[in-house]
Amino acid sequence: MDKIKTYLKRFGAIMAQPVIATILGLLVGAVFIIASDENPIEIYQTMFSRSFLSPYYLSQTLTRATPIIICGIATAAAWRAGYINIGVEGQMITGSFAATLAAIYIPLPGPLLLIVSILLGMLAGSIYASIVSVLNMKFGSSIVICTLMLNYVANYIASYLVSYPFMDPYGDGISLVTQTIPESVQFVKLSTTNNLSIGIIIAAIVVIAFYFMERKTVFGYESKMTGFNPNFAKYGGVFERKVMLKTLALSGAIAALAGICEIYGSKYRYTDNMFTSASFAWTGLMAALISNLHPIGIFFTSIFLSGLQVGGQAIQRTSSIPIQMATVIQSSITLFVSAKLGVQFFSKWRKQKKQEPAKPQESKGGAETV
Amino acid sequence: MRKAIKKVVAAGLAMSMLVLATGCGSSAEETTAAATEAAAEEAADTEAAAEGEATEAAEDGALPGEGVTVALISDVAGTQVFVLDMIAGLEAAAEKYGFDVVIAECPDAAAYEDNARAVLEEGADLIIGGSWQAGDAINKLATEFPDRADYALVDSTVEAENVKCIAFREQEGAYLIGKIAGMVTDDDAELFGAIHVSQGPSSFKWRWGYMEGVKSEKPDAKFVFNYVGDYNDPAKAKEYAIQQFEQGCQFINSAAAGGDKGTFEAALENGFYTSGQDVDLTDPENPYIVTSQIKDTYATMVYLMDQYFGDWNTENETLGIAEGAIGAVYVTHESENPRTDRLTDEDIALLKETADKIASKEIDLSVVPAEETYEY
């Protein structure tokens, strides 16, 4: 009985933070909604019923969450080892572009082509990430700066390739897209009305696999140690450079998988700027940071964040609130969740209340106004 | 001492509350005043519309579009006249036919399909894609759900046969701009500039028409092109314009969407000629904007909706000068702003003749060559 009680208490403590943060975020958002002459309760009702609470929109949210979850894991893979990889976007573009081209141009039978093209894509992503480790080992260049800058390199190279050599001149020939990938490699769909595919299952598998790798394997332990204290890890016999190479390559491969799931699962072709404009990688990074790099946390945070985006679109569509305002509402919720202000503010306030009974009148007055 | 401070703070708070309260009061009054005004205007408009539709209304007892929902999947409007005009055109048509309008602005590449699927789920009867990025989403929906709604796409073309695609022959307007550029510059001018949003096939349409137009006046002309890389970056457009001017361009065609303002500013400061795009951007304060290329999305939307409630078919169309959707200010479209002295009446007569020739295909610009094969 006691065990259950402590368990519930712990669960409550974990959940309190995001819930309070969300409520604070909603309150701030309400100010903006009132400023645009709408009823906040109605707006929030649309926002949540059209992102989480009905099956159609939930599957839309999950579709959008798929690449975000995997990007979050890719970020966590590198960050927990102390390598600040903010180049997930670039690795995602390189990897998925390579996989798309492989799927279009390599003549292989269906299932084999699926596996080969995905592996090639992941290889491309990990090689792209490894450029950074090589630069760091040879010249001591900063991993943060290199990974960030290589995002632009990847996006502009892909942009050139999709504008000229690999452009599909269908229609009137002005769309910057590659050909569609053959039907045999497209992911099986889980829904008839929208794009939810087995990509979400792949994302879940990645989360679980990463969870076990982190806790049960030598590599997972070594990279975690390096993250906690590189000197200690070195002293304990961890070969740091090897860990860096492996970690960044793994991160790049997972990032590539994120892009592949988006293309194979819902878009079926590479479109210019498709990952940068949707900023999957950055949302994934945010999810990873909010949940302290914990894989299960990343899974749910990503779904929450993508739900906010889907709900934001619904607000713009169905009310007079302009898209910019919808983004402000989205961001204010995200801000509170990510700033972890909620709990700290709340506990500080409670502490103060406990300390203050010496001056009963003032604190009472304070409590009433709050 | 502490008490004094408290008093001051309290007084300050009270003051600010008062200011806030009065501020709110006046703004509330203003908004209500504005609202009543708007309502009055609307009433007048609907009256006018009702009169126009009186015959139809008398027969049916209701407008033909009642109960119909039309959704537009567009780029984020912001200050982009191209999108804003499209929305305005659709809303004007809605007033005429009485259908409901849903505008879904898409902030990112994934949102086009998300929104398109969502509006279909929410019961839209006609889904219009408003840019090439919406093309894929519309194409997929039209293939997957041919019976659940009607589909249309503006400014691009896709494969699905049940999508009504309306594209534009922008090169025809660009040709006129190029010809004007050749006319307003000095006789020895050789270098002509242009500032675009991005390289690639969609801007080559414009560049090709422009180059052909300039060459019809100045056969030895050379060209400089720069690409801003963003639909809304006046600062960068201005820098490029100044660079091109320093290289010797007397005319710089601005086709940088929201960036055009930057080019115009540079033109006013440095004294070179320029032109805008999409709508009439000539300005009595800035005599260097000698013309503006027209791409009339307002009329296009009205035309599309007239078809939808009249004789609906899904045959693809391209609109150009002949259809009145493309053109140039002072040539095919009049302007209330005064014309520059560099364009004489003879020039205008010649330009109008050229426009007629393009419309009648005597000067055939309907096929744009591939960029790789075109030499300039």
Side-chain angles (χ1 to χ4, degrees), chain B residues 306-329:
Chain B
D306 281 344
Q307 266 200 3
Y308 188 67
F309 289 105
D311 181 22
W312 180 245
N313 62 65
T314 54
E315 238 151 78
N316 294 348
E317 291 180 47
T318 58
L319 306 184
I321 288 180
E323 291 82 5
I326 295 289
V329 170

Side-chain angles (χ1 to χ4, degrees), chain A residues 144-350:
Chain A
V144 181
I145 293 172
C146 286
T147 47
L148 177 65
M149 286 305 149
L150 283 176
N151 283 342
Y152 300 102
V153 175
N155 189 41
Y156 285 120
I157 290 179
S159 192
Y160 165 74
L161 292 177
V162 79
S163 306
Y164 295 106
F166 297 111
M167 194 190 81
D168 179 20
Y170 85 115
D172 53 358
I174 59 162
S175 307
L176 305 181
V177 292
T178 62
Q179 287 175 31
T180 45
I181 53 174
E183 243 170 70
S184 55
V185 302
Q186 294 174 4
F187 283 172
V188 178
K189 275 193 172 192
L190 299 179
S191 150
T192 50
T193 48
N194 63 34
N195 278 332
L196 189 64
S197 71
I198 54 165
I200 186 73
I201 297 174
I202 295 179
I205 293 172
V206 168
V207 168
I208 294 165
F210 183 74
Y211 185 84
F212 281 106
M213 189 218 75
E214 196 184 16
R215 279 163 182 73
K216 305 283 176 200
T217 65
V218 177
F219 170 63
Y221 178 76
E222 280 182 354
S223 73
K224 198 154 89 186
M225 270 306 115
T226 320
F228 283 148
N229 187 340
N231 292 328
F232 172 78
K234 220 175 184 176
Y235 187 72
V238 175
F239 192 36
E240 204 191 346
R241 291 180 153 197
K242 222 170 170 178
V243 172
M244 176 162 79
L245 259 176
K246 274 196 204 166
T247 311
L248 280 179
L250 175 73
S251 177
I254 299 175
L257 190 61
I260 292 170
C261 280
E262 173 70 4
I263 290 179
Y264 284 29
S266 75
K267 297 295 179 291
Y268 305 142
R269 52 168 37 140
Y270 183 87
T271 311
D272 190 24
N273 275 336
M274 67 186 292
F275 297 133
T276 41
S277 72
S279 59
F280 292 124
W282 299 104
T283 316
L285 174 76
M286 209 188 317
L289 290 183
I290 291 172
S291 41
N292 282 332
L293 309 182
H294 190 287
I296 311 289
I298 290 174
F299 186 80
F300 289 106
T301 317
S302 301
I303 293 176
F304 180 71
L305 291 178
S306 90
L308 286 184
Q309 291 175 356
V310 170
Q313 287 170 15
I315 295 182
Q316 187 274 323
R317 241 181 7 242
T318 53
S319 73
S320 66
I321 294 181
I323 183 99
Q324 289 82 359
M325 226 30 135
T327 317
V328 171
I329 296 164
Q330 251 179 64
S331 320
S332 57
I333 298 174
T334 317
L335 176 74
F336 275 99
V337 175
S338 57
K340 301 183 180 175
L341 268 176
V343 159
Q344 276 170 20
F345 172 79
F346 200 65
S347 58
K348 227 183 205 168
W349 178 64
R350 263 167 66 181

Side-chain angles (χ1 to χ4, degrees), chain B residues 145-161:
Chain B
F145 310 105
D147 304 326
R148 278 181 66 180
D150 292 311
Y151 304 92
L153 182 63
V154 175
D155 206 22
S156 185
T157 311
V158 289
E159 286 148 344
E161 277 180 7

Side-chain angles (χ1 to χ4, degrees), chain A residues 168-177 269, chain B residues 73 82 86 128-139 151-160 163-170 202 205 295 297 300 304 314-319:
Chain A
D168 179 20
Y170 85 115
D172 53 358
I174 59 162
S175 307
L176 305 181
V177 292
R269 52 168 37 140
Chain B
I73 313 291
F82 173 78
M86 205 184 276
I128 307 171
S131 72
W132 70 263
Q133 283 180 292
D136 237 14
I138 298 286
N139 195 32
Y151 304 92
L153 182 63
V154 175
D155 206 22
S156 185
T157 311
V158 289
E159 286 148 344
V163 178
K164 169 96 190 172
C165 300
I166 298 187
F168 298 97
R169 297 192 299 274
E170 292 98 339
S202 61
K205 262 188 185 177
K295 181 172 175 181
T297 45
T300 307
L304 181 69
T314 54
E315 238 151 78
N316 294 348
E317 291 180 47
T318 58
L319 306 184

